[in-house]
Amino acid sequence: MNNFYTLIYLNREIKEKICGGFFRFAISPHKDVLHIYVEKNGETSRLIFSANSRETVLFHDFYRPPKKRNVIDFFSMLEDKEITEMQLADKDRLVTIHFENGDHLQFKLFSGHPNVFVIRDNEIIDAFKNPEEVKGQAPLEPHAPEFKEEVSPRRNAKNQMTEINPLLPRNLLPYIIEEHEVDEMEPENVKTFTNELTEALIEDPHPRVLKTGDFCLWSKQWLNISSEKECDTVNDCVAFAYKNAVHLRRLHNKKEDVLEFLERSKAQKESLVQQLQQADKSLVRSEKYEKYGHLLMAHAHEEINEGTTELTVEDFYEDNEAITIPLKEEKDIAGNAEYYYEKAKDAKKSYQNARQRLPKVKQELEQVNQLLEQIENIDRLYDLEDWIKQHKKVLKEFGFGGDEEKQAKSPFRKYKEGKFEIWIGKNAKSNDQLTSHAHKEDIWLHARGVGGSHVVIRMGNRKDYPPKQVILKAASYAAYFSKARGMKSAPVMYTKRKYVRKPKGAAPGAVVVEREQVQMVPPMKPEQ
C-alpha cells in the first residue's frame, strides 16, 4: 500500500502534522499494529503503522482514546520528546522521524518483515517487532534499486517497465499494461511510455482508492478503473484504503467461520435426510426378523445340539419352502426366537423414529439453505454482526458459537487462527482431557523434549492437514506454553491425534507419540 511514490506525498503531509509536536506514548491495540500518539498545539493525533506484510502502511489519523486493557506500551524512552524532522530515504521505503535528543524512529516499510526501530547513537536500541533479535545492530541503510537506460527486448512488458523504473507500483501494472496494450509496444516505446507514466506520478497525482481496493495516484486518463473514493490528500486515501482492507479481512474471516459451519451443517443434514428416507429398509428388516421369530417358535419344542449356528425349517409363509435361519450358539430355539422378536421390535422402532424425525430434519435443512443464501449477500462487517445477533438463537441450536461463561470455565485455552480453532491444555489433567477429547483427525502438538501443554488444532470433518501457517502458529503456542518459552527457537512435534496414545498407568499428561514431524518455531504468546 505504501509504494515509494505514495510515501513521497505521505512524508510531506505527515511531516506538516507532527513536526514541532511531542511523542506522548505508543501502544499496540491489535496484532502487528502500532499507534503513536502525538500532541501538537494542544491537540492529539495518531500515527498508525501496520507491520502486517499484506497491509504494510503508515498514515496520520485523528485522535481516538486508547484501549485501557490488553494493550502493550512501546518506546517509553521517547515519551515527551519533541519531533524535529521526518525524512524519506532516497529511492527506498525507509521513513525516519527525528527527535530533539538525537534519537530516531526508523520505519521499514518493505519486505516480508516490516518493523519500526528506535535508533540512538547509530545503533538500534528497541524495536516494535522482535526487539531482542535486532538490538545492538546498525540502522538500515537505504538501497536504491537499479534504473536501466534500455529495456531487454525479450522480457515481458511488466519486466521491461520495472527495468526502466523499479519503483512503479507493481500491483497496478497489469491493469496499465492491459489498458494501454504495452505488451504490443516496441522496447523504445515501452521506455517512453514508462517515463511518461512516472512523470504523472510525480507531477500530476490523483489520489484515489479503486473499486478493486487498491490505492492509486494515476488519474483515469492513465488507469480507467472506477474509484471507490477520491481524496484531496494522499494520507486520507491511504487511511481509507487500509481501513477498508482491514474491514474486508475481518469480514472475510468472520464470514468464513459462519459459512464453513453452515456448509458443514448442510452436508450433515443432507446425509441424515438421505438416511432417514431409507427407513423402509428398517421396516423390511423388522418383518424378516419377526418371521424368523414365528418360524423358530413353531419349533421351540425341538432340541438342537450345543454350538449349532443355523437351523433350516419349512417357511409356511412361502409355500413351505426351505429357509435357513442363523442362530446364536449360546441360545436354544426359543431363546433365538426371543432374540429375533427383539430385533424386529428395534427395527420397527427405528423405522417409526425415522418417519417422525424426517420432517424436522428437512425443515432444518431448508432453514440452513436460507441462512446460507442470506449470508452470501452480506458485504459489510456491521451487517454481518447484526445478522449473527439476529439469528443467534437458531445458530446456537444448530451448534454454532458457545456460551461465553462456558468458554471462560473451559478446561482448555481456546484461540482462533483463521477458520481453525486451537485448544491448549492448562495443566497435566487438562492435557489428558484435551488429548482424549480431540478427534482422531485433529492435529496434536507438543514442545519436544520439555514439559509443556498439549495443543490441538481442531479439524472438524477435514482429514487433511491445515495450512502451514496454522501449524506454525499452533507450534509457536506450544513452545510458549512449555519450558522452552525462554528459547529463541524451539522444536515442536506434531502429528494426527490418532497417532497419540496414553499408556496404561502413565502419569497425567504422559503420552506415546508416533509418526511425528518436527518444526522449529519461536515461542509466541497467543493474541486474545
Side-chain angles (χ1 to χ4, degrees), residues 16 68 112 126 191 222 292 297 322 324 329 390 410 450:
E16 184 179 342
K68 295 182 180 180
D126 201 0
K191 177 181 177 180
W222 290 100
Y292 283 179
M297 283 303 293
T324 300
E329 297 179 31
Q390 182 183 346
S410 168
V450 296

Side-chain angles (χ1 to χ4, degrees), residues 59-72:
F59 63 92
H60 184 264
D61 204 14
F62 57 86
Y63 173 79
R64 176 175 290 171
K67 289 184 178 181
K68 295 182 180 180
R69 298 176 61 187
N70 299 324
V71 295
I72 303 173

Side-chain angles (χ1 to χ4, degrees), residues 85-154:
E85 179 61 286
M86 181 172 175
Q87 292 179 323
L88 172 64
D90 182 32
K91 297 181 177 62
D92 201 357
R93 287 170 292 169
L94 281 173
V95 172
T96 305
I97 294 177
H98 299 258
F99 293 88
E100 59 179 331
N101 65 341
D103 289 349
H104 314 310
L105 266 183
Q106 186 181 61
F107 293 82
K108 176 188 176 187
L109 291 146
F110 57 87
S111 85
H113 305 283
N115 209 343
V116 187
F117 310 109
V118 180
I119 313 297
R120 177 176 292 170
D121 298 328
N122 207 38
E123 182 180 294
I124 296 175
I125 63 169
D126 201 0
F128 174 46
K129 304 275 289 183
N130 305 314
E132 297 304 323
E133 295 182 10
V134 295
K135 279 183 180 179
Q137 295 182 12
L140 299 177
E141 294 292 337
H143 294 282
E146 181 184 359
F147 292 74
K148 294 186 177 179
E149 291 296 325
E150 302 298 333
V151 300
S152 304
R154 294 184 179 179

Side-chain angles (χ1 to χ4, degrees), residues 500-518:
V500 180
R501 59 185 174 85
K502 185 174 182 65
K504 189 175 181 180
V511 292
V512 175
V513 184
E514 299 172 350
R515 303 193 189 185
E516 75 271 21
Q517 301 178 59
V518 177

Side-chain angles (χ1 to χ4, degrees), residues 223-242:
L223 187 54
N224 191 22
I225 296 179
S226 299
S227 302
E228 179 75 22
K229 186 177 181 65
E230 297 183 7
C231 309
D232 293 329
T233 68
V234 169
N235 186 86
D236 287 350
C237 264
V238 168
F240 177 86
Y242 170 73

Side-chain angles (χ1 to χ4, degrees), residues 275-287 347 351:
Q275 291 174 26
L276 294 176
Q277 285 175 333
Q278 296 175 355
D280 290 347
K281 293 180 180 179
S282 294
L283 192 59
V284 172
R285 288 197 303 272
S286 175
E287 292 171 350
Y351 167 78

Side-chain angles (χ1 to χ4, degrees), residues 42-252:
E43 293 187 359
T44 304
S45 58
R46 294 176 296 162
L47 273 182
I48 296 180
F49 170 72
S50 168
N52 186 316
S53 57
R54 295 172 297 176
E55 298 162 357
T56 307
V57 71
L58 176 67
F59 63 92
H60 184 264
D61 204 14
F62 57 86
Y63 173 79
R64 176 175 290 171
K67 289 184 178 181
K68 295 182 180 180
R69 298 176 61 187
N70 299 324
V71 295
I72 303 173
D73 290 307
F74 290 86
F75 311 151
S76 58
M77 71 286 289
L78 297 176
E79 288 178 8
D80 300 328
K81 300 295 187 294
E82 183 178 359
I83 298 169
T84 58
E85 179 61 286
M86 181 172 175
Q87 292 179 323
L88 172 64
D90 182 32
K91 297 181 177 62
D92 201 357
R93 287 170 292 169
L94 281 173
V95 172
T96 305
I97 294 177
H98 299 258
F99 293 88
E100 59 179 331
N101 65 341
D103 289 349
H104 314 310
L105 266 183
Q106 186 181 61
F107 293 82
K108 176 188 176 187
L109 291 146
F110 57 87
S111 85
H113 305 283
N115 209 343
V116 187
F117 310 109
V118 180
I119 313 297
R120 177 176 292 170
D121 298 328
N122 207 38
E123 182 180 294
I124 296 175
I125 63 169
D126 201 0
F128 174 46
K129 304 275 289 183
N130 305 314
E132 297 304 323
E133 295 182 10
V134 295
K135 279 183 180 179
Q137 295 182 12
L140 299 177
E141 294 292 337
H143 294 282
E146 181 184 359
F147 292 74
K148 294 186 177 179
E149 291 296 325
E150 302 298 333
V151 300
S152 304
R154 294 184 179 179
R155 306 197 75 184
N156 62 35
K158 184 176 180 179
N159 287 336
Q160 289 178 340
M161 294 175 73
T162 53
E163 282 181 336
I164 298 299
N165 183 358
L167 298 177
L168 290 174
R170 300 189 181 211
N171 60 313
L172 299 178
L173 290 186
Y175 302 121
I176 290 282
I177 291 167
E178 181 180 2
E179 183 173 333
H180 295 272
E181 299 181 342
V182 183
D183 48 3
E184 301 296 326
M185 293 182 185
E186 294 296 325
E188 194 60 35
N189 293 337
V190 173
K191 177 181 177 180
T192 301
F193 177 78
T194 303
N195 288 333
E196 291 173 352
L197 199 65
T198 301
E199 186 177 355
L201 289 173
I202 298 171
E203 302 296 337
D204 188 29
H206 289 258
R208 58 197 183 107
V209 179
L210 308 179
K211 287 290 187 182
T212 60
D214 296 295
F215 173 79
C216 179
L217 283 173
W218 284 303
S219 67
K220 286 189 177 181
Q221 173 188 346
W222 290 100
L223 187 54
N224 191 22
I225 296 179
S226 299
S227 302
E228 179 75 22
K229 186 177 181 65
E230 297 183 7
C231 309
D232 293 329
T233 68
V234 169
N235 186 86
D236 287 350
C237 264
V238 168
F240 177 86
Y242 170 73
K243 292 174 182 178
N244 192 49
V246 170
H247 171 272
L248 290 175
R249 172 165 51 82
R250 290 176 181 170
L251 170 67
H252 173 78

